[in-house]
Amino acid sequence: GSMSTEMTADEIADYSYSYYDEGAVSHLFRVAAGLDSAVLGEGEILGQLKVAWEQASAAHTAGPILQPLFRHATEVGKKVRTETAIARGITSVPQAALVLAARRLDGGLNGRNVVVVGAGDVGSAIANSIADTYSPQSLTVVSKTYSRAEDLCGKIESRLFSSGCAVFPADLAGLGEAVEGADVVFSGTASSSVVLDASDIRNPDGHHLLLVDVAVPRDIDPRANDIDGVELLDMDAIRAFAEEGVASRMAEVAQVKEIVAEEVFSFMSSVAARKAAPLITALREHADSIRVAELAKFSNKNPEMDENQSKNVEALTKAIVAKLLHSPTVKLKEASGTPKGERLGEVVQDLFEI
């Protein structure tokens, strides 16, 4: 944010929580999987995770442990979204409004005359989604601020191949005229009062006119529903529809948690193996240096040995060392990454002074 960068550790501590070791890995993998998001399974978090990783790399704070951890977390995020349905279905209100509207109109939004009221966040999200997903007959944007409607149209014009985007010349007062002849109207202004009154709506031929109110508080007079041919979908209907999607995604949570747990185990095992490997190497090198030194002493004391005997003695010493080290090596590898593994590691270092 814009706050000063000078902060003490204590100040930061009030706003943060800390996880260590496996807890930290598990937390990061859960976040990547979308389990901790306000909207379950949303995909934006993966982008944010990548940005955090890039920033950490640029600041040289992501070293040999964090680099593979973030790489693995990104893979977990993708795996979860590929193998489960956690991210399928509706993840936002504008998206829900569009899908629901497309279902209510036979044949969806393609070839329809669409009006979007409001060019703020909600209106923009809806207009952009329409341009990305559908091919309407016409798309008209109406806004209290004409220039914002023009900007929005300019941005999506190139994606509306068949129709282009038109800006309705009047402000919200002329809405009745703007919606005449439309098939579907999405309204999502930040207005504190109703912008489309029932008395403004003219639908003389009684054709199916779908009004979708995505504003809080309402943009469209609820009495519009009583007009012949007019159907009104409000936020209650849209939220209920979005929650249906969330319910089906909730069913995926158990499977996602299972994948996360498997991946945490796999990551911790690889870290443990990397930790155990140097100790095992050190133990073998220590034992071998003793063997080589003792063998040299033995050879000096027994100069009469021929080459064949020397080879046999060397083979014998190697076999004894290998046999002695076999069990400790296997035990260290098996227990690596567990508290027992750490205890054994300390004991080995202590006993053999390595």
Side-chain angles (χ1 to χ4, degrees), residues 83-118:
E83 293 182 9
T84 77
I86 187 101
R88 283 186 212 138
I90 313 306
T91 51
S92 70
V93 167
Q95 213 186 336
L98 274 171
V99 175
L100 192 53
R103 284 192 182 180
R104 292 293 171 93
L105 293 165
D106 294 335
L109 295 180
N110 295 338
R112 303 287 179 168
N113 294 314
V114 182
V115 176
V116 174
V117 183

Side-chain angles (χ1 to χ4, degrees), residues 2-19:
S2 57
M3 55 200 291
S4 148
T5 48
E6 298 295 317
M7 278 184 85
T8 66
D10 286 346
E11 285 174 304
I12 294 172
D14 292 342
Y15 302 100
S16 61
Y17 40 80
S18 305
Y19 293 105

Side-chain angles (χ1 to χ4, degrees), residues 190-337:
S191 166
S192 55
S193 56
V194 162
V195 293
L196 183 59
D197 204 72
S199 58
D200 295 336
I201 299 166
R202 290 186 290 277
N203 193 29
D205 57 358
H207 83 290
H208 187 194
L209 167 61
L210 183 64
L211 305 176
V212 187
D213 192 345
V214 270
V216 178
R218 292 172 182 277
D219 265 357
I220 302 174
D221 182 350
R223 288 172 304 180
N225 226 349
D226 305 333
I227 301 168
D228 194 27
V230 175
E231 181 186 2
L232 174 62
L233 293 176
D234 60 8
M235 276 300 272
D236 293 339
I238 294 158
R239 280 209 191 98
F241 180 64
E243 274 160 21
E244 256 174 58
V246 171
S248 67
R249 289 204 302 279
M250 287 298 284
E252 298 291 307
V253 168
Q255 197 190 343
V256 171
K257 283 183 174 167
E258 223 167 273
I259 293 174
V260 167
E262 279 165 18
E263 295 296 329
V264 169
F265 179 77
S266 141
F267 182 80
M268 294 310 288
S269 304
S270 66
V271 169
R274 285 202 299 274
K275 271 191 190 163
L279 180 60
I280 290 167
T281 306
L283 179 61
R284 287 175 172 262
E285 281 171 356
H286 170 69
D288 206 57
S289 65
I290 293 173
R291 182 188 72 78
V292 169
E294 290 304 314
L295 194 59
K297 275 192 221 167
F298 180 81
S299 301
N300 288 339
K301 282 182 187 162
N302 300 282
E304 71 288 351
M305 274 200 313
D306 62 29
E307 198 182 331
N308 204 26
Q309 288 170 316
S310 288
K311 272 188 177 163
N312 285 340
V313 172
E314 168 134 24
L316 175 69
T317 60
K318 277 186 173 170
I320 290 169
V321 168
K323 283 256 158 57
L324 280 171
L325 291 188
H326 175 72
S327 178
T329 302
V330 170
K331 289 273 193 294
L332 282 171
K333 274 187 182 164
E334 279 176 354
S336 70

Side-chain angles (χ1 to χ4, degrees), residues 19-207:
Y19 293 105
Y20 300 93
D21 301 327
E22 190 169 335
V25 175
S26 179
H27 173 68
L28 185 63
F29 286 8
R30 279 180 61 89
V31 168
L35 284 174
D36 288 1
S37 300
V39 173
L40 188 67
E42 53 91 10
E44 281 166 29
I45 192 74
L46 266 184
Q48 292 163 355
L49 203 120
K50 277 202 177 118
V51 169
W53 178 16
E54 280 161 13
Q55 287 174 343
S57 300
H60 304 294
T61 54
I65 292 171
L66 283 184
Q67 286 288 357
L69 175 63
F70 269 86
R71 189 172 299 113
H72 202 129
T74 310
E75 283 161 16
V76 170
K78 288 179 184 164
K79 183 175 184 177
V80 154
R81 287 169 180 80
T82 315
E83 293 182 9
T84 77
I86 187 101
R88 283 186 212 138
I90 313 306
T91 51
S92 70
V93 167
Q95 213 186 336
L98 274 171
V99 175
L100 192 53
R103 284 192 182 180
R104 292 293 171 93
L105 293 165
D106 294 335
L109 295 180
N110 295 338
R112 303 287 179 168
N113 294 314
V114 182
V115 176
V116 174
V117 183
D121 292 344
V122 179
S124 298
I126 286 177
N128 272 294
S129 282
I130 291 172
D132 288 337
T133 323
Y134 302 103
S135 308
Q137 171 80 40
S138 67
L139 180 64
T140 307
V141 178
V142 192
S143 170
K144 193 172 60 178
T145 325
Y146 187 80
S147 58
R148 281 181 87 169
E150 263 188 326
D151 286 348
L152 178 54
C153 268
K155 281 192 191 119
I156 61 175
E157 188 87 57
S158 61
R159 286 175 280 154
L160 287 161
F161 306 115
S162 56
S163 56
C165 179
V167 181
F168 189 71
D171 60 8
L172 297 181
L175 256 188
E177 205 183 320
V179 303
E180 202 170 332
D183 295 304
V184 56
V185 177
F186 294 95
S187 192
T189 73
S191 166
S192 55
S193 56
V194 162
V195 293
L196 183 59
D197 204 72
S199 58
D200 295 336
I201 299 166
R202 290 186 290 277
N203 193 29
D205 57 358
H207 83 290

